[in-house]
């Protein structure tokens, strides 16, 4: 169990800089999920922590000790790899116990621990098999057991579930969470699946192009995304964006299409006069008769999701999605109204892409875009 | 492309059968010749059925060539080459694939180029080195002026000398110093996923531990293939032993001895050619490589086509 502090870490491969200015503190026993699109540097960050890759600049400390120059084995981390990376020529028992064998743990103790660990992940009957004779889920468990048996201070997972089918993935997710509650090691879990991230995380770290965009609990990130990027990435179906300008006098956002969307007072003042991108979550909007809502749109197509329908609309030439459980099936191209509840708008500065937070009403600060 | 037509099938089998016959007929003739007497083997037309003289022929050839100790020599050399090659190639490929060091590519290409220079091509310089294994160092010392410096400063004449002629070392080392095995290993090591290497590092295994616990067990088939090839290669060496061994009584190898049994103007001095002895000896000399191939072939084939799992 250990706190992990990542300070100003940068990583370059030759001349290409793939990670810059990463700062992150992970509390003892916390389960942190790193979320980001492919190629954003999630695995690299994990490998830097594990010591499989050298950091170019900055500092990483585990349990208060700077580990920059320590070998992986001295850092007390265990890692579960995406492709499991089991030793193909060893049996399940040998795979699980290999770290102990290297560490010189006596055979009797080793076998007792292997048996206990294997039983705890439901592998008791498979100890004599080779990885090649196991299913994907079973291999996954061996990889988990191999990490658990070392009783590590830190658990690192690099997309460990991405090779499993959907059902097994959900099951393993629960299992990972259960193991975490039991052994309480600080855990870092990398994924590009936001459902997985949302369900597992105490805190989420959203990465983009080698930098951290936002750190927060899953609700914080869903409710108050810090940037356009996070807003677009988190939430499914994805948020729609409409450009406009904030009119502080009318306390409204004036869309380019001419529509006016009312804003809470504090937000209107904070964003007074600025060019913004307004983010609208499909699940917060509802459909109305044409002309009755704040926004007038046309129907592009309707996606049937079973319990609900996702309406893909066009506001002039910009897409807008609405999630609704109504059973209406308007014709393609039909005009339709969208009602936007007060407070459903997320405003992002059109230039910087950063979120605009409502300000305390009495101290309006003049900001010009 | 897989075609399924009876006519083509028949053709394929005919071609296969023909190929087999082309290979087997000479072997059969050798077997037959080995079992005939001197008179029978020299009568025309060629006898096609074996006689009963195999043991007497073999006994005579064995005594004439002093095969007993020569077989031991051949075994020592072949096993030495196999062990040396398997170890050296493994370590070299390990360094080339899993370590990032300065000049790695340079070394890789240096090894690669030796593939184009088999022993037969560089036999004269190799002989020169075998005559004095330290001569390259002497050359370096002379060329850089170090020996001159030492001589003028201390009056000591630098002359390094290590003669490998007429020794097992001299027979084995030049055969070990080739690139073949290194490549076989390298290609295999390159297929090992990075994650496996990293998993071993996370489990606390250092490089040597990883080599011993993971790489070597995984390369078993490659090792078998390489060992087989090298055994046959070393066993069949002719030119190099002929050159480097003048003390044939102590260090002669069977293949060289065998060539002395093959009748020509020199050995028979115009007498009747003793093919029956040569063939009987050939059959025994062939046995060890064949035994090794048969014994190893299960692993050997898998190692060469690299489809374990
Ligand atoms: N050894 C390397 N040499 C050069 N560039 C590398 C190396 N390893 C990774 N990169 C680059 O670093 C960037 C981040 O890679 P990383 O593997 O961390 O991405 P990721 O977020 O884990 O992506 P994915 O979700 O696809 O696994 C990528 O652009 C990749 O091309
Ligand atoms: Mg990755």
């Amino acid at each position: 169990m250990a706190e992990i502090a990542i300070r100003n870490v940068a990583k370059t491969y030759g001349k290409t800089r793939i990670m810059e200015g990463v700062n992150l503190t992970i509390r003892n026993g916390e389960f942190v999920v790193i979320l980001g699109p492919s190629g954003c540097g999630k695995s690299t960050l994990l490998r830097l922590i594990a010591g499989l890759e050298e950091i170019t600049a900055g500092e990483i400390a585990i349990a208060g000790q700077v580990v920059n120059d320590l070998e992986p084995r001295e850092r007390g981390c265990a890692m579960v790899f995406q492709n499991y990376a089991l030793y193909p020529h060893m049996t399940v028992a040998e795979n699980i116990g290999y770290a102990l064998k290297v560490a010189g743990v006596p055979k009797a103790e080793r076998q007792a621990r292997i048996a206990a660990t294997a039983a705890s992940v439901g592998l008791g009957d498979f100890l004599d098999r080779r990885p090649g004779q196991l299913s994907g889920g079973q291999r996954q468990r061996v990889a988990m057991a191999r990490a658990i048996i070392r009783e590590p201070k830190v658990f690192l997972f690099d997309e460990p579930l991405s090779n499993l089918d959907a059902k097994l993935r959900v099951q393993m997710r629960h299992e990972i969470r259960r193991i975490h509650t039991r052994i309480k090691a600080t855990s870092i879990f990398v994924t590009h699946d936001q459902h997985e991230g949302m369900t597992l995380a105490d805190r989420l770290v959203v990465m983009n192009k080698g930098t951290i965009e936002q750190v927060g609990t899953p609700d914080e990130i869903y409710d108050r995304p810090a940037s356009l990027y996070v807003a677009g990435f988190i939430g499914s179906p994805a948020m729609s964006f409409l450009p406009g300008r904030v009119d502080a006098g009318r306390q409204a956002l004036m869309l380019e299409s001419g529509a006016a969307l009312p804003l809470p007072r504090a937000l209107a003042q904070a964003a007074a006069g600025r060019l913004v991108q307004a983010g609208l979550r499909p699940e917060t909007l509802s459909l109305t008769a044409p002309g009755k809502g704040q926004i007038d749109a046309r129907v592009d197509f309707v996606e049937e999701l079973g319990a609900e329908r996702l309406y893909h609309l066009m506001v002039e030439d910009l897409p807008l999605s609405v999630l609704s459980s109504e059973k209406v099936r308007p014709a393609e191209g039909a005009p339709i109204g969208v009602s936007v509840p007060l407070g459903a708008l997320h405003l992002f500065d059109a230039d910087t892409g950063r979120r605009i937070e409502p300000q305390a009403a009495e101290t309006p600060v003049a900001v010009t875009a | 492309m897989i075609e399924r037509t009876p006519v083509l099938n028949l053709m394929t089998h005919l071609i296969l059968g023909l190929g087999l016959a082309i290979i087997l007929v000479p072997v059969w003739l050798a077997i037959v010749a080995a079992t005939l007497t001197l008179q029978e083997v020299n009568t025309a037309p060629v006898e096609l059925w074996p006689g009963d003289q195999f043991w007497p022929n073999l006994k005579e050839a064995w005594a004439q060539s002093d095969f007993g100790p020569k077989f031991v020599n051949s075994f020592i050399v072949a096993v030495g080459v196999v062990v040396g090659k398997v170890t050296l190639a493994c370590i070299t490929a390990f360094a080339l694939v899993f370590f990032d060091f300065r000049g790695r590519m340079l070394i890789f290409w240096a090894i690669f180029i030796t593939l184009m220079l088999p022993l037969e091509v560089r036999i004269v310089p190799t002989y020169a080195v075998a005559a004095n294994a330290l001569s390259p160092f002497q050359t370096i010392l002379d060329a850089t002026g170090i020996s001159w410096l030492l001589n003028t400063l201390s009056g000591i004449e630098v002359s390094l000398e290590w003669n490998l002629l007429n020794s097992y070392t001299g027979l084995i080392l030049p055969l070990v110093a080739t690139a073949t095995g290194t490549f076989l290993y390298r290609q295999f090591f390159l297929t090992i996923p990075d994650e496996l290497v990293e998993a071993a590092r996370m489990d606390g295994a250092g490089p040597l531990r990883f080599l011993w616990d993971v790489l070597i067990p995984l390369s078993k088939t490659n090792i078998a293939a390489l060992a087989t090839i090298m055994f046959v290669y070393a066993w069949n060496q002719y030119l190099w032993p002929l050159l480097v061994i003048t003390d044939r009584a102590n260090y002669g190898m069977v293949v060289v001895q065998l060539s002395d049994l093959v009748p020509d103007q020199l050995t028979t001095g115009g007498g009747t050619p003793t093919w029956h002895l040569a063939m009987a000896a050939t059959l025994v000399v062939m046995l060890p490589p064949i035994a090794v191939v048969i014994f190893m072939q299960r692993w050997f084939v898998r190692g060469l086509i690299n489809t374990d799992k």
Side-chain angles (χ1 to χ4, degrees):
Chain A
M1 263 158 270
E3 179 185 276
I4 302 172
I6 297 166
R7 301 183 197 110
N8 257 319
V9 163
K11 175 70 186 169
T12 54
Y13 282 115
K15 289 216 163 16
T16 34
R17 178 161 285 253
I18 61 152
M19 187 171 292
E20 195 157 17
V22 170
N23 280 292
L24 179 65
T25 306
I26 298 167
R27 290 187 285 269
N28 188 5
E30 196 173 21
F31 199 111
V32 164
V33 172
I34 301 180
L35 200 56
S38 190
C40 71
K42 307 180 296 288
S43 299
T44 307
L45 183 58
L46 208 62
R47 293 154 49 80
L48 290 175
I49 296 171
L52 293 172
E53 206 80 65
E54 250 179 79
I55 58 180
T56 312
E59 193 173 87
I60 294 179
I62 298 177
Q65 186 194 12
V66 176
V67 295
N68 287 18
D69 299 321
L70 293 190
E71 279 290 304
R73 73 184 133 202
E74 298 161 324
R75 297 190 181 195
C77 304
M79 189 151 169
V80 180
F81 295 87
Q82 178 170 356
N83 298 313
Y84 320 136
L86 303 178
Y87 309 114
H89 59 295
M90 297 187 195
T91 63
V92 168
E94 286 166 338
N95 263 287
I96 297 176
Y98 185 61
L100 299 186
K101 186 175 163 198
V102 173
V105 174
K107 193 158 186 199
E109 184 192 338
R110 206 158 77 210
Q111 269 162 354
R113 276 170 72 181
I114 290 171
T117 313
S120 78
V121 294
L123 280 173
D125 298 335
F126 301 99
L127 284 177
D128 293 325
R129 296 230 198 142
R130 306 249 155 153
Q133 304 163 316
L134 297 178
S135 73
Q138 289 162 342
R139 282 182 221 182
Q140 179 60 57
R141 280 163 211 269
V142 178
M144 298 278 300
R146 185 168 68 169
I148 295 171
I149 199 170
R150 297 175 43 203
E151 296 168 357
K153 292 185 284 188
V154 176
F155 245 123
L156 305 171
F157 299 88
D158 192 354
E159 308 203 24
L161 307 183
S162 57
N163 287 347
L164 303 180
D165 66 45
K167 201 168 158 207
L168 202 52
R169 195 145 59 204
V170 174
Q171 191 188 334
M172 284 309 291
R173 234 188 251 169
H174 290 308
E175 198 139 336
I176 288 178
R177 197 60 229 201
R178 195 172 54 73
I179 290 170
H180 177 72
T181 342
R182 180 157 55 88
I183 64 178
K184 298 191 179 63
T186 311
S187 303
I188 307 180
F189 187 104
V190 162
T191 178
H192 56 241
D193 177 340
Q194 50 169 303
H195 284 294
E196 202 165 285
M198 289 275 185
T199 20
L200 280 171
D202 293 330
R203 276 197 306 159
L204 272 177
V205 174
V206 183
M207 286 191 71
N208 180 26
K209 294 188 193 138
T211 58
I212 291 182
E213 287 272 338
Q214 188 174 5
V215 181
T217 62
D219 335 342
E220 268 167 22
I221 289 187
Y222 177 82
D223 292 337
R224 297 192 294 119
S227 64
L228 265 179
Y229 175 80
V230 177
F233 187 70
I234 300 288
S236 152
M239 207 182 242
S240 322
F241 295 100
L242 297 172
R245 182 184 285 281
V246 174
D247 185 331
R250 292 174 62 175
Q251 278 190 31
L253 171 68
M254 311 306 293
L255 292 185
E256 276 168 10
S257 63
L261 303 180
L263 290 173
R265 194 176 137 81
L267 185 56
Q269 279 178 354
R274 282 207 259 176
L275 278 175
V276 298
Q277 289 281 348
L280 295 155
R281 289 215 183 272
E283 54 274 31
T284 60
L285 306 178
S286 50
L287 297 175
T288 63
K292 289 282 166 58
Q294 286 90 340
I295 303 175
D296 289 318
R298 272 175 303 101
V299 177
D300 192 12
F301 65 98
V302 183
E303 203 177 322
E304 183 66 55
L305 301 178
E308 293 160 318
R309 268 143 298 281
L310 183 62
Y311 296 85
H312 294 269
L313 313 178
M314 297 300 286
V315 180
E316 303 202 316
D317 53 355
L318 294 169
L320 175 68
S321 316
V322 177
L323 190 66
S324 164
S325 51
E326 281 172 52
K327 294 256 181 215
V328 288
R329 287 222 85 144
E332 197 175 302
I336 199 160
V338 177
S339 109
V340 183
L342 187 72
L345 281 177
H346 301 262
L347 295 189
F348 301 95
D349 189 288
D351 287 330
T352 64
R354 303 307 300 178
R355 178 184 187 82
I356 303 173
E357 287 285 2
Q359 276 170 356
E362 54 282 312
T363 56
V365 178
V367 188
T368 41
Chain B
M1 195 175 70
I2 295 173
E3 298 260 352
R4 294 211 182 278
T5 47
V7 180
L8 274 181
N9 264 349
L10 191 69
M11 289 282 292
T12 339
H13 281 97
L14 278 180
I15 293 174
L16 272 177
L18 196 67
L20 194 65
I22 290 176
I23 293 171
L24 286 184
V25 165
V27 176
W28 177 248
L29 289 182
I31 294 175
V32 171
T35 56
L36 301 176
T37 60
L38 180 60
Q39 285 76 23
E40 285 167 338
V41 86
N42 284 298
T43 50
V46 177
E47 184 72 50
L48 286 179
W49 290 107
D52 54 0
Q53 294 298 304
F54 179 70
W55 289 114
N57 286 348
L58 181 58
K59 237 180 250 168
E60 192 179 341
W62 191 279
Q64 201 175 325
S65 305
D66 187 24
F67 266 155
K70 303 305 185 292
F71 262 94
V72 174
N73 285 344
S74 274
F75 263 109
I76 291 175
V77 171
V79 171
V81 168
V82 165
V83 172
K85 190 77 239 184
V86 163
T87 321
L88 182 75
C90 178
I91 298 172
T92 322
F94 180 55
L96 281 176
V97 173
F98 293 102
F99 292 85
D100 207 358
F101 53 90
R102 203 179 295 246
R104 178 163 78 150
M105 274 337 252
L106 192 76
I107 292 174
F108 170 72
W109 284 108
I111 296 173
F112 186 78
I113 282 172
T114 64
L115 271 186
M116 292 177 246
L117 300 171
L119 185 58
E120 287 73 14
V121 173
R122 54 190 163 83
I123 201 146
V124 174
T126 310
Y127 182 84
V129 173
N132 178 8
L134 295 177
S135 64
F137 299 99
Q138 177 83 49
T139 312
I140 292 172
L141 291 183
D142 290 348
T144 52
I146 294 177
S147 31
W148 172 81
L149 198 67
L150 276 176
N151 198 5
T152 36
L153 288 184
S154 58
I156 299 169
E157 180 82 46
V158 182
S159 88
L160 307 169
E161 180 93 42
W162 183 24
N163 189 336
L164 296 179
L165 301 180
N166 288 319
S167 71
Y168 292 126
T169 326
L171 275 171
I172 293 171
L173 280 188
L175 298 179
V176 170
T178 61
T180 16
T182 312
F183 277 84
L184 197 66
Y185 276 107
R186 178 176 177 270
Q187 288 321 105
F188 173 68
F189 286 172
L190 286 177
T191 66
I192 302 263
D194 287 346
E195 281 195 348
L196 201 61
V197 185
E198 290 171 355
R201 284 182 71 192
M202 294 301 295
D203 274 345
L208 287 181
R209 192 91 208 215
F210 175 67
L211 175 68
W212 191 251
D213 283 352
V214 180
L215 280 184
I216 291 183
L218 286 178
S219 350
K220 262 190 263 168
T221 55
N222 290 278
I223 293 177
L226 184 62
T228 314
I229 295 173
M230 288 322 286
F231 186 91
V232 176
Y233 170 76
W235 188 270
N236 288 340
Q237 279 303 311
Y238 174 71
L239 190 56
W240 181 246
L242 191 66
L243 213 61
V244 82
I245 301 300
T246 45
D247 178 8
R248 289 268 291 274
N250 285 318
Y251 293 104
M253 286 175 67
V254 273
V255 173
V256 181
Q257 295 298 99
L258 177 62
S259 76
D260 286 353
L261 280 180
V262 175
D264 59 18
Q265 216 45 36
L266 241 123
T267 47
T268 58
T272 331
T274 54
W275 283 111
H276 59 309
L277 299 184
M279 288 307 146
T282 305
L283 293 183
V284 222
V285 171
M286 263 166 44
L287 277 186
I290 290 179
V292 168
V293 170
I294 289 175
F295 179 69
M296 296 285 241
Q297 69 128 347
R298 232 181 54 140
W299 297 286
F300 160 69
V301 172
R302 265 200 284 169
L304 278 189
I305 56 183
N306 218 339
T307 51
D308 194 17
K309 229 136 277 155

